[in-house]
């Protein structure tokens, strides 16, 4: 019912003024490589490619491709740290990469100055999981393009195929999301944004590989098959002077599993020269545990839900990173980023990974140009 | 409740036009710079959106789409 109401509201806002305002669409190409490595013995190397081509003054088609080549420790038994990581869900089988995920996205965009509509489809394939999704996004400019109101809707239809034979209670995971956003320019040197997201997930929402192992029994991880979440975000950017700016954001999340979280992100950016920009970003995240998570080792055979994933427990995390942007000639640029991620100590992390906390290093390196 | 909040905000932002036109087109030079974007590096925003979705239990608050995977 709520989905139908939102779609009606979305369609009612789609009163497009079909003027002949020039669009800002540009042909562009970008390619790069992302990396991820953590102390749970997971490494991911991800080449990326995106192509955008104008097919008319107001229409553009796009193609994006991401390949995740993943290495991970194999499952040996249920009680030591050599578990298949939540990031991968795959076993190595003696190969260089435990799994390779292919994720193409097709999209189309219409823009006529005050209105922008984009829609597309996403597909992801890995050894034990297929992800399929469709999405649509509409942005309306108002007040001489000082205000932008956006609505985004996405729906995924994913499916599990565990690498070992296990009859799952359900093999699907469907997720729907609605994003409502408002952007407002405050001054020539500042702007802010509000975003509200509503999410509904249904199906098999735990991992088919995780299991709780206690002295007298072992059980596969089991979560409720429905999760409803809401997120509220406030973001702002402010320029101090010609060479320095800062962006700040705050997000509050809550769901019907009892998880609440706060996310604060701040980034300072500094122009080293006319062509080079660098800076420093800091992010802090804190969440509570779900209402069905117990202390490690406290589950009973009669419990309905079993948790082994640390993400259902309470923990904090910190991220510190350095961005770098280098603008070159002919509308091209190189962007680099390096970030370090660290969680707080957590008994669930200790139980599953054999380390007190998780730490990770991730990077991006991308070359892009428009023409 | 959230529907009412959104509708109120929508009419607020569309009904107070003269007060919300704060930046003229010829004043938008700084706002077009990379360092004035909420996500100055698109590739990082996309990658960390995926990483945080996998490593943490929260989602949303971004107006962009994130695809699913078995890593969650």
């Amino acid at each position: 019912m709520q989905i139908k109401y939102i779609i009606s509201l979305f369609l009612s806002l789609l009163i497009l003024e079909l003027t002949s305002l020039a669009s800002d669409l540009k042909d562009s190409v970008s390619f790069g490589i992302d990396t991820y490595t953590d102390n749970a013995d997971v490494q991911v190397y991800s080449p990326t490619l995106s192509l955008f081509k104008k097919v008319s003054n107001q229409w553009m088609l796009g193609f994006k491709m991401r390949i995740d080549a993943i290495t991970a420790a194999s499952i040996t038994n249920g009680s030591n740290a050599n578990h298949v990581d939540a990031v991968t869900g795959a076993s190595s089988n003696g190969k260089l990469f435990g799994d390779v995920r292919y994720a193409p996205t097709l999209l189309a965009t219409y823009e006529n100055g005050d209105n922008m509509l984009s829609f597309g489809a996403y597909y992801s394939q890995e050894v034990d999981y297929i992800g399929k999704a469709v999405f649509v996004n509409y942005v309306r400019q108002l007040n001489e393009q000082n205000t932008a109101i956006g609505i985004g809707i996405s729906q995924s239809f994913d499916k599990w195929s565990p690498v070992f034979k296990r009859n799952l209670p359900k093999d699907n995971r469907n997720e729907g999301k609605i994003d409502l956003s408002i952007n407002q320019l405050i001054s020539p040197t500042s702007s802010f944004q509000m975003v509200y997201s509503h999410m509904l997930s249904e199906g098999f929402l735990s991992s088919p590989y995780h299991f709780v192992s206690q002295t007298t029994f072992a059980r596969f991880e089991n979560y409720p098959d429905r999760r409803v979440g809401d997120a509220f975000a406030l973001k702002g950017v402010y320029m101090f002077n010609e060479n320095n700016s800062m962006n700040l954001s705050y997000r509050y999340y809550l769901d019907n599993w009892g998880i609440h979280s706060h996310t604060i992100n701040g980034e300072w950016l500094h122009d080293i020269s006319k062509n080079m920009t660098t800076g420093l970003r800091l992010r802090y995240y804190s969440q509570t545990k779900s209402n069905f998570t117990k202390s490690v080792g406290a589950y009973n055979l009669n419990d309905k839900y079993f948790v082994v994933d640390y993400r259902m427990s309470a923990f904090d995390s910190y991220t510190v990173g350095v961005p770098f942007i280098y603008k070159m000639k002919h509308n091209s640029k190189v962007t680099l980023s390096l970030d370090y991620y660290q969680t707080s100590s957590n008994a669930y992390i200790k139980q599953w990974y054999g380390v007190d906390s998780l730490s990770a290093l991730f990077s991006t390196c991308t070359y892009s140009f428009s023409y | 409740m959230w529907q009412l909040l959104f509708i109120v905000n929508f009419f607020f932002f569309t009904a107070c036009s003269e007060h919300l036109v704060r930046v003229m087109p010829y004043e938008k030079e700084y706002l077009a710079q990379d360092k004035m974007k909420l996500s100055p590096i698109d590739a990082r925003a996309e990658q960390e959106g995926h990483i945080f979705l996998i490593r943490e239990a929260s989602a949303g608050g971004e107006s962009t789409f994130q695809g699913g995977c078995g890593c969650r």
Side-chain angles (χ1 to χ4, degrees):
Chain A
M1 181 64 81
Q2 283 188 342
I3 300 287
K4 286 182 184 175
Y5 180 85
I6 287 298
I7 291 174
S8 301
L9 181 63
F10 169 75
L11 290 174
S12 69
L13 285 173
L14 249 174
I15 304 171
L16 300 174
E17 293 175 11
L18 296 177
T19 63
S20 58
L21 292 173
S23 74
D24 294 325
L25 301 175
K26 285 182 186 174
D27 295 343
S28 65
V29 176
S30 73
F31 51 88
I33 179 96
D34 300 343
T35 67
Y36 171 93
T37 180
D38 67 27
N39 62 341
D41 292 331
V42 175
Q43 295 171 23
V44 186
Y45 302 94
S46 309
T48 61
L49 170 71
S50 70
L51 304 165
F52 290 93
K53 176 67 184 165
K54 275 182 68 173
V55 295
S56 73
N57 192 40
Q58 292 167 335
W59 280 96
M60 182 169 70
L61 298 179
F63 170 75
K64 295 167 77 172
M65 182 66 171
R66 182 184 186 91
I67 301 172
D68 289 333
I70 306 159
T71 66
S74 296
I75 294 174
T76 54
N77 60 59
S79 302
N80 65 25
N82 292 326
H83 294 89
V84 167
D85 185 77
V87 173
T88 69
S91 64
S92 71
N93 295 324
K95 299 176 185 173
L96 178 63
F97 295 114
D99 193 7
V100 180
R101 183 174 82 102
Y102 301 91
T105 303
L106 288 172
L107 61 151
T109 301
Y110 169 86
E111 185 184 348
N112 71 353
D114 280 347
N115 304 280
M116 188 189 77
L117 176 71
S118 61
F119 51 91
Y122 162 92
Y123 181 82
S124 165
Q125 179 172 326
E126 50 199 293
V127 70
D128 57 356
Y129 194 88
I130 291 179
K132 292 178 282 188
V134 292
F135 56 89
V136 60
N137 191 62
Y138 172 68
V139 178
R140 168 78 177 179
Q141 298 282 348
L142 302 163
N143 303 323
E144 298 186 33
Q145 301 202 344
N146 275 241
T147 308
I149 294 181
I151 300 177
I153 300 173
S154 64
Q155 178 66 52
S156 69
F157 311 90
D158 299 351
K159 186 177 176 185
W160 279 105
S161 301
V163 294
F164 57 83
K165 193 171 181 180
R166 179 192 165 191
N167 290 326
L168 300 175
K170 296 179 184 179
D171 63 1
N172 68 300
R173 183 165 75 188
N174 300 333
E175 297 184 339
K177 184 165 168 265
I178 296 173
D179 299 306
L180 306 174
S181 64
I182 298 174
N183 277 65
Q184 174 65 44
L185 302 183
I186 305 298
S187 74
T189 56
S190 63
S191 68
F192 89 94
Q193 181 186 61
M194 292 190 295
V195 182
Y196 166 74
S197 301
H198 181 72
M199 296 148 282
L200 171 62
S201 304
E202 293 178 308
F204 187 76
L205 303 182
S206 57
S207 167
Y209 307 108
H210 288 169
F211 55 92
V212 171
S213 179
Q214 294 186 182
T215 311
T216 55
F217 71 92
R219 281 286 183 275
F220 279 114
E221 193 174 58
N222 186 40
Y223 297 167
D225 59 5
R226 190 170 188 272
R227 185 178 187 184
V228 182
D230 296 282
F232 306 86
L234 291 172
K235 309 176 188 184
V237 61
Y238 178 74
M239 174 180 271
F240 296 103
N241 53 49
E242 285 227 11
N243 295 325
N244 293 280
S245 69
M246 172 163 262
N247 63 66
L248 285 170
S249 66
Y250 168 76
R251 178 190 67 182
Y252 176 67
Y253 169 89
L254 73 163
D255 65 27
N256 67 331
W257 285 5
I259 295 176
H260 298 244
S261 75
H262 303 276
T263 310
I264 301 172
N265 189 89
E267 186 168 28
W268 162 67
L269 288 156
H270 171 71
D271 286 338
I272 301 172
S273 69
K274 195 176 72 170
N275 299 324
M276 288 194 285
T277 303
T278 188
L280 180 69
R281 71 85 66 97
L282 297 169
R283 178 182 184 270
Y284 172 72
Y285 173 84
S286 177
Q287 72 167 58
T288 63
K289 68 181 184 70
S290 73
N291 51 28
F292 51 85
T293 298
K294 294 184 173 183
S295 300
V296 172
Y299 293 92
N300 303 311
L301 198 59
N302 296 327
D303 283 333
K304 186 176 182 183
Y305 302 119
F306 296 91
V307 173
V308 72
D309 192 336
Y310 76 93
R311 292 175 297 172
M312 292 296 109
S313 66
F315 71 96
D316 303 334
S317 75
Y318 305 85
T319 307
V320 58
V322 176
F324 181 76
I325 302 171
Y326 178 57
K327 287 183 203 168
M328 298 152 60
K329 292 179 183 176
H330 309 301
N331 292 321
S332 62
K333 67 179 174 183
V334 170
T335 61
L336 302 167
S337 67
L338 182 64
D339 290 84
Y340 175 74
Y341 177 84
Q342 173 76 53
T343 69
S344 55
S345 297
N346 182 281
Y348 276 93
I349 293 175
K350 179 72 176 179
Q351 180 197 44
W352 190 255
Y353 297 108
V355 293
D356 290 331
S357 61
L358 281 178
S359 58
L361 201 61
F362 56 95
S363 70
T364 66
C365 175
T366 305
Y367 173 74
S368 61
F369 63 93
S370 57
Y371 57 95
Chain B
M1 179 62 192
W2 63 266
Q3 297 158 331
L4 182 63
L5 187 64
F6 175 72
I7 291 171
V8 167
N9 276 319
F10 173 75
F11 282 108
F12 173 76
F13 280 103
T14 54
C16 305
S17 302
E18 68 275 15
H19 301 298
L20 294 174
V21 180
R22 304 179 69 90
V23 182
M24 304 307 293
Y26 52 83
E27 295 177 312
K28 292 183 179 176
E29 174 194 354
Y30 293 129
L31 293 165
Q33 295 178 3
D34 285 326
K35 68 176 184 285
M36 290 300 289
K37 294 180 186 175
L38 290 168
S39 296
I41 298 180
D42 294 335
R44 184 188 68 178
E46 191 163 337
Q47 188 207 28
E48 69 182 21
H50 188 65
I51 290 171
F52 294 142
L53 205 58
I54 294 166
R55 284 287 174 232
E56 297 165 354
S58 306
E62 304 290 340
S63 53
T64 53
F65 167 74
Q66 271 289 336
C69 69
C71 34
R72 292 196 287 128

